[in-house]
Amino acid sequence: LTLPFLSDDYVFLASYKQWSDVLNVGHFFRPAFGAVFLLLARTGNGSPVVFHVVALLIHAASAWCVYVLSRRLFQRADAATFCFAIFLLNPLQLEAVLWVSGLQELLWTLFVLAGLVVYTGARLLSLSRLMVTLVLIACALLSKETAISSVLLLPAADWTFFRMKRGRLLPVAYVGCGVVAAAYLFARTQVAAIESTYFVTPGKYFAQKF
């Protein structure tokens, strides 16, 4: 809670001063992160403590989502508790919780996990459940680009939890997810330009991270 602002924190503090700045930041298109960052900066009045408190709460909420998903998957409370503890206390990515700029990681993770919790809440996929899931996925994408991985997580969840037996709305879910992703990519190109040197031929590092 006493860790001061570091490095990129000052870049974001300088970038997000007015609400109009949320959509006008360089190479990034992360308006959800920008809005939350600006709100916390104003609430904390120059103190990082409010960022740290919120980061802990978001991380705890994500861990709870992991518990719910694990309970559904393994049908065992002890296994779900173990998964919850591993996610909550995993020491490999401490900066996501400790570093103020890690808020973007926490936000997109929470939105994606919450989306999976809603999406897998019942075997038969309902329209209301699907719409809430798509809104959460959109919020994740507006927090950080990495959330595009959720496009792969939804069909993976369909197979893992239900062996693809989700009812007649399953194709609609995939079309909706594709529309959300396409709308996000289009909106991003309108705000943040992509340099021609950004794209490279996938190599071993890409395969490893994928």
Side-chain angles (χ1 to χ4, degrees), residues 108 111-113 116 133 136-138 140-141 145-156 177 180-181:
W108 83 260
F111 285 131
V112 168
L113 288 173
L116 286 172
T133 300
L136 289 169
I137 294 302
L141 286 167
E145 298 83 350
T146 317
I148 199 70
S149 61
S150 58
V151 174
L152 300 176
L153 292 177
L154 293 185
C177 192
V180 169

Side-chain angles (χ1 to χ4, degrees), residues 17-197:
K17 290 185 175 181
Q18 306 294 331
W19 290 110
S20 58
D21 296 333
V22 170
L23 295 175
N24 299 316
V25 180
H27 302 288
F28 300 117
F29 181 57
R30 301 170 184 172
F33 160 70
V36 174
F37 192 96
L38 176 57
L39 180 62
L40 294 179
R42 289 187 172 183
T43 303
N45 195 26
S47 170
V49 174
V50 66
F51 284 95
H52 294 314
V53 172
V54 170
L56 289 172
L57 293 175
I58 293 176
H59 183 56
S62 294
W64 177 252
C65 290
V66 169
Y67 175 86
V68 173
L69 292 169
S70 302
R71 182 70 183 266
R72 291 174 182 172
L73 179 63
F74 299 115
Q75 298 294 312
R76 291 181 55 173
D78 55 350
T81 302
F82 180 74
C83 293
F84 168 83
I86 289 295
F87 184 91
L88 185 70
L89 304 175
N90 189 341
L92 296 181
Q93 295 291 337
L94 290 177
E95 64 272 17
V97 181
L98 297 179
W99 188 21
V100 167
S101 294
L103 177 66
Q104 53 199 318
E105 309 289 353
L106 299 178
L107 285 173
W108 83 260
T109 300
L110 175 61
F111 285 131
V112 168
L113 288 173
L116 286 172
V117 168
V118 174
Y119 189 69
T120 60
R123 187 185 70 81
L124 289 179
L125 191 60
S126 66
L127 184 60
S128 59
R129 194 174 293 278
L130 174 58
M131 295 304 296
V132 173
T133 300
L134 293 179
V135 168
L136 289 169
I137 294 302
C139 290
L141 286 167
L142 296 176
S143 299
K144 192 173 182 182
E145 298 83 350
T146 317
I148 199 70
S149 61
S150 58
V151 174
L152 300 176
L153 292 177
L154 293 185
D158 288 327
W159 173 254
T160 303
F161 287 89
F162 308 107
R163 294 298 185 266
M164 307 303 289
K165 299 177 181 178
R166 303 296 314 273
R168 59 184 178 83
L169 287 180
L170 186 59
V172 178
Y174 293 158
V175 171
C177 192
V179 169
V180 169
Y184 162 76
L185 292 173
F186 175 78
R188 190 184 188 284
T189 59
Q190 304 305 303
V191 178
I194 301 177
E195 299 85 352
S196 60
T197 57

